Amino acid sequence: MVEPATDTVAATKLVPLLKDELDIVIPTIRNLDFLEMWRPFFEPYHLIIVQDGDPSKIIKVPEGFDYELYNRNDINRILGPKASCISFKDSACRCFGYMVSKKKYIFTIDDDCFVAKDPSGKAINALEQHIKNILSPSTPFFFNTLYDPYREGADFVRGYPFSLREGAPTAVSHGLWLNIPDYDAPTQLVKPLERNTRYVDAVLTIPKGTLFPMCGMNLCFDRDLIGPAMYFGLMGDGQPIGRYDDMWAGWCTKVICDHLGLGVKTGLPYIYHSKASNPFVNLKKEYKGIFWQEEIIPFFQAATLPKDCTSVQKCYIELSKQVKEKLGKVDPYFDKLADAMVTWIEAWDELNPAGAPAKVSNGKA
Amino acid sequence: MVEPATDTVAATKLVPLLKDELDIVIPTIRNLDFLEMWRPFFEPYHLIIVQDGDPSKIIKVPEGFDYELYNRNDINRILGPKASCISFKDSACRCFGYMVSKKKYIFTIDDDCFVAKDPSGKAINALEQHIKNILSPSTPFFFNTLYDPYREGADFVRGYPFSLREGAPTAVSHGLWLNIPDYDAPTQLVKPLERNTRYVDAVLTIPKGTLFPMCGMNLCFDRDLIGPAMYFGLMGDGQPIGRYDDMWAGWCTKVICDHLGLGVKTGLPYIYHSKASNPFVNLKKEYKGIFWQEEIIPFFQAATLPKDCTSVQKCYIELSKQVKEKLGKVDPYFDKLADAMVTWIEAWDELNPAGAPAKVSNGKA
């Protein structure tokens, strides 16, 4: 039986890394009591809270945290007609937070995620591990059998080409979950009691050319390197699908990282995922995705980007065209999604004009 | 500090899996005292010992093990002129054992490898874990973030295509090493004191299209599925290179597995690697490989096999042609190696005629 850490306050206080260069993005519909457990780790950082659902509801944030909060009214006001690209009643709305951030790094976490313990019982500072992951290079071009060669006590093994040992810049650090694993509805239904108790002490680079199911629950990325690809799609209210927001972002991100020579890591850190969502509700949200992914994944596996796609934005616009052309046949939804991908980039560029970091404020922080 | 297990005799005796379908291949130049520690795990199995170096030397094998032993005279007698493809004074000679085996599975281990302990202190039955790995499918076509989905307590995560959940047959299980890591000479020289103490509790499939540095120290494979690709090349006596035998086999094997839709796993089990080899001697053996691998690896990364290569033998012969054509320019050694690859397949087919498993005996077993 795994249990969450209960004494994180006693955890060693380290000098917070990247304090002024990282925002924590949290999508939520409830009071953020979960932050209490994260206090020693998150308090030094700025939070961007994206309130989903009813904007008139008041979300309570524990004392002492530095945050800005955006509800649907704020999103509509800031983006105007382009707000249509931001999902409503789905945690996909979190990507609005990526867009309004002005920091180099984003860490995003769900509000049902608590502090996990390592096998020695120590509370895991998930953010610190993400920062380590993202500040050290990746190895997408050749597999290292001792996993991350940049970790202490590890290195490249015999037979690893020396020309590749500098690695590639890391764009994404994908963390995992103890307790409730991130299963789809059918697996939840079949294995209601399964818990993830296996602590795998590894960080590894997902090789170039390989896709993976990116979960948005515990995720860190470099906004400057890959931000505009982290669009969580059209999900939830008015859409035929949910729970594929992070998957969509993961497929697009990985294809673009591969094209641009950027690395994606997965493994540590673990968070403690407290509560399985309702599998019946999930099935309703997911079932089209379960069909569609059988065509979407081969599409992304085959996708190539032309050489003149030298920025994330250019890559993303090119991908949107391919989505329209190739996936539009699967369902009209993908036409709409392809258009939203373009809107997203337009909105991103509006809020993030090249060379002149704008400051967006909603007056609530 | 990691230490090897010292009480393996007390380890739980399990019903030996695949007892009549697996041979353990050990290349050696010394008495096999190391088998004492492995007794509870290896004794039920048949051993094929390939004696390297002076054939007049007597190799002592502890009482009670069932084995056959081949020295250079035996190899020359059995293969005749084709014996030229088997390396001398290099552990690459072990692949002769793969050829004379008549079993479906091979486990090969070096004689400086001892029983490792898991974090709970229990002696690790490496062979048992290899068998688990090889009897369960692989997932080469999409990455599963919770690692091997066929392990107890794990499964495919949300977003993993259902059509891929049957997996692919596993051809290779590549195990790792605690204590002395498998580093090249330059890394050994720079980090003489580095020890691998990190027990990573994971088995994972190396994705299709990704190459890896395969180490021959602790390796299991399915002879029926991939045997003829497990040629350890021309190394040692009379050759310009050493310590690239397993790497060569790994590159060829991975390209052929990818072509044939077979899986390669890496991770558990760990063995305890007792003694670092001399880095100065290693540097002398390796240095050409350190240059050459910069050209060899891109060659294998780009290699494709035509559709009519439907057997491992056909794939391997085709690869030998490409080696001659593309790597022959790097050094005349690769011409010789390409010829030896063909000889190896001829010898393999001679000893393993289709449909009629021959029994080779040297009268010493």
Side-chain angles (χ1 to χ4, degrees):
Chain A
M1 186 62 197
V2 231
E3 296 200 343
T6 48
D7 190 13
T8 57
V9 179
T12 319
K13 278 214 182 181
L14 288 162
V15 180
L17 285 162
L18 302 179
K19 194 179 85 61
D20 300 318
E21 296 172 74
L22 184 142
D23 282 335
I24 300 176
V25 172
I26 304 164
T28 193
I29 49 169
R30 56 177 80 92
N31 295 334
L32 293 177
D33 305 324
F34 91 112
L35 285 173
E36 279 305 344
M37 289 316 298
W38 288 105
R39 188 179 290 275
F41 305 137
F42 290 178
E43 206 174 18
Y45 295 88
H46 181 68
L47 312 181
I48 298 179
I49 298 161
V50 185
Q51 176 179 351
D52 199 17
D54 181 4
S56 69
K57 196 180 158 186
I58 304 293
I59 299 284
K60 277 196 215 148
V61 181
E63 277 295 309
F65 284 94
D66 166 45
Y67 70 96
E68 51 193 308
L69 183 149
Y70 299 91
N71 64 28
R72 191 68 208 183
N73 295 337
D74 301 315
I75 295 172
N76 290 340
R77 178 175 49 78
I78 292 166
L79 293 184
K82 294 195 181 77
S84 62
C85 74
I86 304 296
S87 300
F88 186 49
K89 296 194 177 167
D90 191 287
S91 71
C93 67
R94 76 173 84 210
C95 65
F96 178 76
Y98 312 159
M99 193 182 252
V100 294
S101 167
K102 293 293 160 279
K103 305 283 174 63
K104 184 168 164 55
Y105 301 100
I106 296 286
F107 171 53
T108 184
I109 184 167
D110 281 4
D111 62 7
D112 64 346
C113 293
F114 294 87
V115 179
K117 291 186 289 190
D118 72 16
S120 76
K122 198 176 159 233
I124 298 167
N125 183 345
L127 182 50
E128 184 190 20
Q129 178 68 47
H130 275 300
I131 290 171
K132 279 185 192 171
N133 294 348
I134 212 130
L135 291 183
S136 64
S138 290
T139 54
F141 309 116
F142 199 73
F143 189 88
N144 193 49
T145 51
L146 288 184
Y147 312 101
D148 188 343
Y150 306 106
R151 275 186 88 186
E152 210 186 298
D155 211 312
F156 292 97
V157 300
R158 180 171 57 91
Y160 203 100
F162 279 82
S163 63
L164 295 178
R165 295 191 186 194
E166 274 187 28
T170 303
V172 179
S173 167
H174 177 260
L176 300 175
W177 344 275
L178 289 172
N179 196 38
I180 305 288
D182 187 29
Y183 287 163
D184 48 62
T187 308
Q188 281 185 294
L189 289 164
V190 171
K191 292 180 154 183
L193 298 177
E194 191 152 290
R195 297 294 177 265
N196 186 25
T197 60
R198 184 177 290 131
Y199 182 93
V200 175
D201 186 13
V203 178
L204 60 104
T205 297
I206 300 176
K208 183 177 176 179
T210 299
L211 293 181
F212 78 115
M214 188 180 82
C215 170
M217 224 189 291
N218 171 23
L219 181 71
C220 187
F221 61 91
D222 183 324
R223 244 181 117 254
D224 288 355
L225 287 179
I226 200 66
M230 278 288 177
Y231 176 44
F232 272 44
L234 294 175
M235 304 281 146
D237 197 48
Q239 308 299 340
I241 185 174
R243 283 171 59 84
Y244 273 87
D245 52 340
D246 43 6
M247 297 299 140
W248 184 261
W251 300 323
C252 294
T253 291
K254 189 59 169 58
V255 166
I256 294 174
C257 282
D258 285 351
H259 175 74
L260 296 175
L262 303 171
V264 175
K265 290 185 184 178
T266 185
L268 302 184
Y270 286 94
I271 52 80
Y272 182 91
H273 186 207
S274 64
K275 216 173 64 188
S277 43
N278 184 314
F280 299 98
V281 173
N282 290 347
L283 186 61
K284 204 169 158 185
K285 292 179 180 173
E286 278 175 14
Y287 81 97
K288 290 199 175 175
I290 287 172
F291 290 96
W292 289 346
Q293 71 186 359
E294 299 292 341
E295 303 196 51
I296 300 171
I297 286 169
F299 159 77
F300 279 108
Q301 284 174 328
T304 54
L305 298 168
K307 274 199 178 160
D308 63 351
C309 287
T310 50
S311 71
V312 179
Q313 279 91 332
K314 282 182 190 166
C315 290
Y316 204 73
I317 294 293
E318 169 63 27
L319 258 188
S320 78
K321 289 179 194 157
Q322 298 185 17
V323 166
K324 184 160 263 192
E325 189 194 325
K326 305 253 175 73
L327 294 180
K329 298 170 208 157
V330 173
D331 194 277
Y333 166 73
F334 292 97
D335 275 324
K336 213 167 49 168
L337 179 55
D339 292 338
M341 291 168 75
V342 176
T343 306
W344 160 263
I345 293 294
E346 288 169 357
W348 183 283
D349 285 344
E350 210 171 285
L351 293 186
N352 297 276
K359 179 72 197 133
V360 181
S361 172
N362 65 354
K364 288 190 193 169
Chain B
M1 185 60 196
V2 232
E3 296 201 343
T6 48
D7 190 13
T8 58
V9 179
T12 318
K13 279 212 180 182
L14 288 161
V15 181
L17 285 162
L18 302 179
K19 195 179 84 64
D20 301 317
E21 294 173 74
L22 184 143
D23 283 335
I24 300 176
V25 172
I26 303 164
T28 195
I29 50 166
R30 56 177 80 93
N31 295 333
L32 293 177
D33 304 325
F34 91 112
L35 285 172
E36 278 306 343
M37 288 315 299
W38 288 105
R39 188 180 290 277
F41 304 136
F42 290 179
E43 207 174 17
Y45 295 88
H46 181 67
L47 311 181
I48 298 178
I49 298 161
V50 184
Q51 177 179 350
D52 198 18
D54 180 5
S56 70
K57 194 180 160 186
I58 303 294
I59 300 284
K60 276 195 215 151
V61 181
E63 277 295 309
F65 284 94
D66 167 44
Y67 70 96
E68 52 193 306
L69 183 150
Y70 299 91
N71 63 29
R72 191 69 207 183
N73 295 337
D74 301 316
I75 295 172
N76 290 341
R77 178 174 49 76
I78 292 166
L79 293 185
K82 295 197 181 76
S84 61
C85 73
I86 304 297
S87 299
F88 186 47
K89 296 194 178 167
D90 192 287
S91 72
C93 67
R94 76 174 84 209
C95 65
F96 179 76
Y98 311 158
M99 193 182 252
V100 293
S101 167
K102 292 294 161 279
K103 305 283 174 60
K104 183 166 164 56
Y105 302 100
I106 296 286
F107 171 53
T108 184
I109 184 167
D110 282 4
D111 62 7
D112 62 347
C113 293
F114 294 87
V115 179
K117 291 186 289 190
D118 71 16
S120 76
K122 198 174 158 233
I124 298 167
N125 184 344
L127 182 49
E128 185 190 19
Q129 179 67 48
H130 275 300
I131 290 170
K132 280 184 191 170
N133 293 349
I134 212 130
L135 292 183
S136 63
S138 291
T139 54
F141 309 116
F142 199 74
F143 190 88
N144 193 51
T145 50
L146 288 183
Y147 311 100
D148 188 342
Y150 306 105
R151 275 185 89 185
E152 210 187 298
D155 211 312
F156 293 97
V157 299
R158 180 171 58 90
Y160 203 101
F162 280 82
S163 63
L164 295 178
R165 295 192 185 194
E166 276 188 26
T170 302
V172 178
S173 167
H174 177 259
L176 300 175
W177 344 275
L178 288 173
N179 196 42
I180 305 288
D182 187 30
Y183 287 164
D184 48 62
T187 308
Q188 280 185 294
L189 288 165
V190 171
K191 292 180 155 184
L193 297 178
E194 190 153 290
R195 298 293 178 265
N196 186 26
T197 60
R198 184 177 290 132
Y199 182 93
V200 175
D201 187 13
V203 178
L204 59 104
T205 297
I206 300 176
K208 183 176 176 180
T210 299
L211 293 180
F212 77 115
M214 187 180 84
C215 170
M217 224 189 291
N218 170 23
L219 181 72
C220 186
F221 62 90
D222 183 324
R223 246 182 115 254
D224 288 355
L225 287 180
I226 200 65
M230 279 287 178
Y231 176 44
F232 272 44
L234 293 175
M235 303 283 146
D237 198 48
Q239 308 300 340
I241 185 174
R243 284 172 57 85
Y244 273 87
D245 51 340
D246 40 7
M247 298 298 140
W248 184 261
W251 299 323
C252 294
T253 291
K254 188 59 170 57
V255 166
I256 294 174
C257 282
D258 285 349
H259 174 74
L260 296 175
L262 303 171
V264 175
K265 289 185 185 179
T266 186
L268 302 183
Y270 286 94
I271 52 79
Y272 181 92
H273 186 205
S274 63
K275 217 172 63 186
S277 43
N278 184 315
F280 300 99
V281 173
N282 290 347
L283 186 60
K284 202 169 160 186
K285 291 179 181 172
E286 278 175 13
Y287 82 96
K288 291 199 174 175
I290 287 173
F291 290 95
W292 289 346
Q293 72 187 358
E294 299 292 340
E295 304 197 51
I296 299 171
I297 287 169
F299 159 77
F300 279 108
Q301 283 174 330
T304 55
L305 298 167
K307 274 201 175 159
D308 63 350
C309 288
T310 50
S311 70
V312 179
Q313 277 92 333
K314 281 182 191 165
C315 291
Y316 204 74
I317 294 292
E318 169 63 26
L319 258 189
S320 78
K321 288 178 195 159
Q322 298 185 17
V323 166
K324 183 161 265 188
E325 190 194 324
K326 305 254 175 71
L327 294 180
K329 297 169 209 158
V330 174
D331 193 278
Y333 167 73
F334 292 97
D335 274 324
K336 212 166 55 167
L337 178 54
D339 292 338
M341 291 169 76
V342 175
T343 305
W344 159 264
I345 293 293
E346 287 170 358
W348 182 282
D349 285 343
E350 210 172 287
L351 294 187
N352 297 277
K359 180 70 197 135
V360 181
S361 172
N362 65 354
K364 287 191 191 168

